[in-house]
Amino acid sequence: MKKMQKMIAVLFSVAMCAAMAVPAFAAETDTARNEEQETVMPRAIVYEKINIPEDGKFYKITDDFEMPAKSRVSFQGTWSPAYARLEFRLYAHSTGNGAYVMLTSGREGGLDATAASVYSLYARSVDHVKVTGAVNITN
């Protein structure tokens, strides 16, 4: 009977140690993963004034910036006239491809980077009216 009590006590002790060790290993893994995500996805907020002529051509509104693959650039702006639609183009220098989205003043939108590259953001007036205002860009 004493042997059985000792075996149960030993098994119980091992089970408790194992139960306490598993959360510690899981916490180390989550911490390492979070640090990796922070290094891969830098965030920046840029406030750009815009002054787009009515000619319907694309005009560069940002300096060149780098983005990793499968990341997103988001923007929201206010401009006048408020009804004017702007078409934004995210241009990848390495591939020569661009993604497009159309917004009105006060609306939020975004575009996805398909490849790791240097990008530029362009805009044009869809309604062929002069547009002035500002846009906040987050990547």
Side-chain angles (χ1 to χ4, degrees):
M1 188 67 156
K2 283 190 175 191
K3 279 186 177 182
M4 185 67 108
Q5 285 177 343
K6 282 184 180 180
M7 275 175 83
I8 290 174
V10 168
L11 286 174
F12 186 68
S13 299
V14 170
M16 286 183 59
C17 289
M20 293 172 68
V22 171
F25 290 128
E28 288 176 18
T29 305
D30 289 343
T31 304
R33 189 176 304 128
N34 288 341
E35 288 173 5
E36 182 180 304
Q37 287 175 349
E38 288 176 15
T39 5
V40 173
M41 295 295 296
R43 305 289 290 171
I45 298 174
V46 179
Y47 177 80
E48 294 286 341
K49 291 184 179 179
I50 54 174
N51 189 6
I52 309 293
E54 62 275 358
D55 59 8
K57 296 179 183 176
F58 279 99
Y59 289 89
K60 190 173 183 179
I61 60 172
T62 64
D63 292 330
D64 295 344
F65 56 95
E66 290 186 43
M67 288 180 62
K70 298 181 183 176
S71 58
R72 185 168 179 82
V73 61
S74 300
F75 33 88
Q76 179 183 20
T78 53
W79 51 82
S80 63
Y83 69 85
R85 293 172 297 162
L86 288 181
E87 183 174 22
F88 290 92
R89 176 183 181 210
L90 183 64
Y91 176 76
H93 293 271
S94 64
T95 63
N97 294 329
Y100 301 86
V101 68
M102 196 177 325
L103 296 175
T104 55
S105 181
R107 301 295 301 253
E108 186 175 337
L111 295 166
D112 296 323
T114 54
S117 181
V118 174
Y119 286 86
S120 297
L121 189 63
Y122 294 83
R124 75 178 182 100
S125 172
V126 176
D127 300 311
H128 298 285
V129 294
K130 183 176 179 173
V131 177
T132 56
V135 64
N136 291 326
I137 304 160
T138 308
N139 72 320

